[in-house]
Amino acid sequence: MNTESKSAESMNAMAEQTPARQDPGRHDFAVVDSEILLEAPIIAVRRDQVSMPGGRVAAREIVEHFGAVAVVAADEVGRICLLNQWRQAAGQRLTELPAGLLDYADEDPLAAAKRELVEEAGLEADDWALLTDMFTSPGFAEEAVRIYLARDLRAVVKPVSDDEEADMTSAWVPVGEAVEKVLAGEVQNAIAIAGITLAAQVLLHGAAPRPAETPFAIRPTRLAKRREQQLGAGADLKRIKRA
């Protein structure tokens, strides 16, 4: 057998031993097994065993989440309401938007946003629009947040707050100045950065937001459905026993 024939046979043998790979962008990352590692009031952690290109199965830890809503509240002169709140994970106070979890079973996102705007800013609004839906940390967490733009505002009685919210302050900032704060690194909360920059496109440059009733297609559901089965329809999904 000549050298070329031996080389061809060797290459064919290697090809038979190597798992076939699909074209990039077409693989089905199927979950072949899954287990819950942690159940806590506002999150859970699960480990998925995921089929990878080439036939390998790899473990991926995922933070399950209820999803959340946030609100850019803009007054008639183009100022927006920004909050300053302590965040234990960050170890500092952050500039943020009024926001909160979708932590009641089957809660409508717009209703949740209206509730949070009252509770955190003492405001109600007659005009609501959708700025964006976004994943906050898709490398390891399911959390998705819907950000609204609220206009035609009026002040209402703000409920008494507790815990971190009892220390929270608020300020009205022109939207252009808020963008400057983002660019200067003074705003480090990703949801606030997205909301401020998108609101500026609407308020300063005439961009058209989407209707507030647009379906929240990326809203996470796995944790909420499991808690609803345990606690019942309409329940506060945080009310579980701590481990």
Side-chain angles (χ1 to χ4, degrees):
M1 183 181 293
N2 62 36
T3 304
E4 290 184 358
S5 296
K6 289 182 179 179
S7 177
E9 285 186 2
S10 177
M11 292 178 65
N12 289 336
M14 290 177 61
E16 289 175 359
Q17 296 173 8
T18 303
R21 290 182 179 270
Q22 293 179 325
D23 293 336
R26 301 180 66 179
H27 179 71
D28 177 16
F29 290 88
V31 176
V32 300
D33 194 20
S34 188
E35 61 178 323
I36 300 297
L37 305 179
L38 170 71
E39 288 275 9
I42 66 170
I43 63 165
V45 179
R46 77 172 188 269
R47 176 179 292 133
D48 289 345
Q49 301 292 337
V50 185
S51 171
M52 295 290 164
R56 191 171 77 92
V57 173
R60 295 290 182 264
E61 287 73 40
I62 307 297
V63 177
E64 296 184 343
H65 197 270
F66 298 124
V69 292
V71 184
V72 180
D75 68 11
E76 67 280 359
V77 295
R79 300 179 304 169
I80 62 174
C81 180
L82 297 180
L83 307 178
N84 191 263
Q85 182 174 354
W86 174 261
R87 290 298 184 183
Q88 187 63 30
Q92 60 182 299
R93 291 177 176 83
L94 297 179
T95 297
E96 301 190 351
L97 303 173
L101 295 172
L102 292 168
D103 52 4
Y104 285 86
D106 299 320
E107 184 171 26
D108 175 67
L110 182 56
K114 291 179 178 180
R115 181 192 72 230
E116 293 298 333
L117 188 59
V118 170
E119 291 181 356
E120 296 199 344
L123 296 168
E124 290 182 348
D126 290 328
D127 184 8
W128 289 83
L130 172 61
L131 288 174
T132 196
D133 297 330
M134 60 179 284
F135 289 109
T136 56
S137 299
F140 66 90
E142 291 181 342
E143 182 183 23
V145 179
R146 166 156 285 199
I147 307 177
Y148 292 97
L149 176 64
R151 291 179 283 190
D152 291 342
L153 305 174
R154 59 183 174 277
V156 296
V157 176
K158 181 177 178 292
V160 176
S161 301
D162 54 17
D163 297 335
E164 290 93 340
E165 292 180 6
D167 181 69
M168 188 167 60
T169 60
S170 63
W172 287 96
V173 179
V175 67
E177 182 179 327
V179 172
E180 292 175 1
K181 289 179 177 292
V182 169
L183 294 171
E186 297 174 22
V187 181
Q188 298 167 325
N189 176 287
I191 298 166
I193 290 170
I196 289 168
T197 54
L198 290 171
Q201 290 298 312
V202 175
L203 299 174
L204 301 179
H205 304 294
R210 286 178 285 164
E213 298 78 14
T214 301
F216 190 0
I218 65 171
R219 177 178 180 172
T221 60
R222 187 160 178 164
L223 177 59
K225 286 181 178 179
R226 190 168 66 250
R227 295 283 175 83
E228 186 174 2
Q229 290 175 349
Q230 298 168 357
L231 301 171
D236 179 351
L237 301 176
K238 304 185 301 298
R239 302 294 184 184
I240 65 166
K241 293 182 179 180
R242 293 180 183 269

